[in-house]
Amino acid sequence: MPKQNFALFETAIGPCGIVWSARGVAGVQLPEVDERATRLRVRRRFPAAKEAAPSPEIWRAIEGIVALLQGEPRDLNDVIIDNEETPEFNARVYAIVRTIPPGQTITYGEIAERLGDKLLAREVGTALGQNPCPIIMPCHRVLAAGGKTASYKTGGFSASGGVLTKLRLLSIEGAEPGGPTLFEKLPLAVRKRG
């Protein structure tokens, strides 16, 4: 295993982490409750990684992530990923996910169809659940079938905060992953009281 380093950086949604090797970005950590918890999660996921100052290439990746999380429609496809340890199926899924522009979504089934077998939707979900580099490989832009009309059908999200974090990321990007929110579904009389 190549030497790995990591750094924490502040974003609009809280402290994130990034892990890299000489081959590229090996991991991104979305925020935990605070910086300490984020650092602990990075160390748990990448126990051999040492905290270090980012290289110029990693700084560019960080700047792109920060901008995207501030609502800028950034394309992070120029960020090089260290996918040496990534299973071949997962790498194919991640390659497709990286083509989804900010503010847009597709379904697990649509990715499965692009892979040549619409019955692979569950395997696509499993691969996305193992995504080491969220935001750069934007798994939050992948929804369950029907996810465009019902917010409870967005599909899972393994980051801290789960589906709420996924919805927040989509909202920052201007995507509309669901139909009416819980409050919009309430009767008008209830909404006016609130």
Side-chain angles (χ1 to χ4, degrees), residues 175-190:
E176 295 184 22
T181 66
L182 171 65
F183 298 106
E184 293 167 331
K185 291 179 187 176
L186 293 174
L188 185 58
V190 175

Side-chain angles (χ1 to χ4, degrees), residues 1-6 19-23 26-27 45-52 82 85:
M1 173 181 265
K3 177 184 170 196
Q4 292 180 330
N5 293 307
F6 79 92
V19 179
W20 69 93
S21 72
R23 293 190 296 245
R45 287 179 61 203
F46 300 92
K50 306 290 183 215
E51 197 157 2
D82 176 358
E85 304 293 321

